[in-house]
Amino acid sequence: MPRTPMIAPSLLSADFARLADEVQRVADADWLHVDVMDAHFVPNLTLGLPVVQAIQAVSPVPLDCHLMIEAPERWAPGYAEAGARNVTVHAEACTDPRAVARDLRAAGALAGLALKPGTPLEGYLDVLRDFDTLLVMTVEPGFGGQEFMAEVLPKVRRARELTDTGHLRLLVEVDGGINADTIEQAAEAGADVFVAGSAVYGADDPARAIAALRAQAASAVTG
Ligand code: DX5
Ligand code: ZN
């Protein structure tokens, strides 16, 4: 079955002093990826719920919140209640990922589970039955503009296989280093959703960059 690639620009590479305008510049995107970092789970600090609520109020694009934070059990449901379409928590930070998924879904969002590059998929196969999206990190979380780690792609391939054979029902998302040079490999491996920060916001025309990435991903799967 052909998949329609979804492009999710990451606001991390946008101009934080002009967030409302930056959101409008990617109005053609499928999701708007918002990286929430707490300076504990990752060595960087970005933004939190009040800023996400403000973005939600002006965004024409559904929000995809990527929580790189400790204690997601406590904080994640607030992002779903704020109206985010998808809220992703890190497996490495969760004591009870299933409970988080339940709370996210109850608050009306899709539930996402993220895995750092070194975290194997196999330990989470059962848990993933309660999730809607799987975010495979293709860089170490924390910063934009890092180099794509192709060695993580077997994890994408395996998740695709499990989804295609009906063992799991997931959107498979890749995040980190996705650009014109790497998106085809990620698409071939089976990703559905492509997060791109610097490749979109670093471009002169973000709308064109989104369209180009989408076309590249689509042609990589249809051949
Ligand atoms: C990194 C973030 C990514 C980041 C991607 O921890 O999760 O979403 O913004 O940025 P690029 O596309 O520049 O690698
Ligand atoms: Zn992210």
Side-chain angles (χ1 to χ4, degrees):
M1 206 175 57
R3 300 186 303 275
T4 313
M6 296 169 63
I7 307 296
S10 169
L11 210 53
L12 188 60
S13 300
D15 179 351
F16 275 25
R18 302 170 49 250
L19 283 180
D21 297 336
E22 294 287 72
V23 168
Q24 292 301 330
R25 290 172 81 205
V26 298
D28 290 339
D30 297 281
W31 284 352
L32 178 66
H33 187 83
V34 184
D35 290 303
V36 174
M37 304 187 192
D38 67 353
H40 290 275
F41 181 71
V42 286
N44 194 6
L45 179 69
T46 55
L47 47 82
L49 186 56
V51 178
V52 168
Q53 286 166 331
I55 297 166
Q56 168 74 27
V58 298
S59 178
V61 182
L63 301 193
D64 173 34
C65 292
H66 177 194
L67 307 187
M68 286 159 275
I69 61 171
E70 288 180 356
E73 289 81 358
R74 177 166 172 199
W75 304 108
Y79 292 84
E81 285 154 17
R85 173 71 54 85
N86 181 62
V87 179
T88 291
V89 296
H90 265 269
E92 305 85 0
C94 285
T95 44
D96 187 355
R98 280 205 154 103
V100 187
R102 205 178 310 124
D103 290 348
L104 290 172
R105 285 175 165 180
L110 298 176
L113 192 70
L115 303 179
K116 293 206 242 182
T119 305
L121 178 62
E122 301 303 321
Y124 293 95
L125 296 184
D126 229 32
V127 162
L128 278 167
R129 296 158 78 96
D130 290 338
F131 282 84
D132 306 292
T133 63
L134 168 69
L135 177 61
V136 178
M137 289 301 302
T138 41
V139 297
E140 288 300 336
F143 301 92
Q146 302 182 75
E147 202 173 320
F148 179 74
M149 298 169 67
E151 60 269 35
V152 179
L153 288 179
K155 214 172 352 184
V156 175
R157 244 175 234 119
R158 177 85 178 116
R160 176 84 267 140
E161 228 170 66
L162 289 163
T163 302
D164 286 348
T165 52
H167 291 86
L168 292 172
R169 288 181 60 143
L170 293 170
L171 283 172
V172 182
E173 184 171 7
V174 283
D175 182 8
I178 298 293
N179 56 39
D181 295 329
T182 58
I183 194 166
E184 289 174 8
Q185 303 169 51
E188 272 159 16
D192 302 288
V193 187
F194 303 84
V195 177
S198 36
V200 170
Y201 278 108
D204 291 336
D205 184 343
R208 270 180 61 180
I210 291 167
L213 288 170
R214 199 185 270 128
Q216 263 191 296
S219 72
V221 260
T222 53

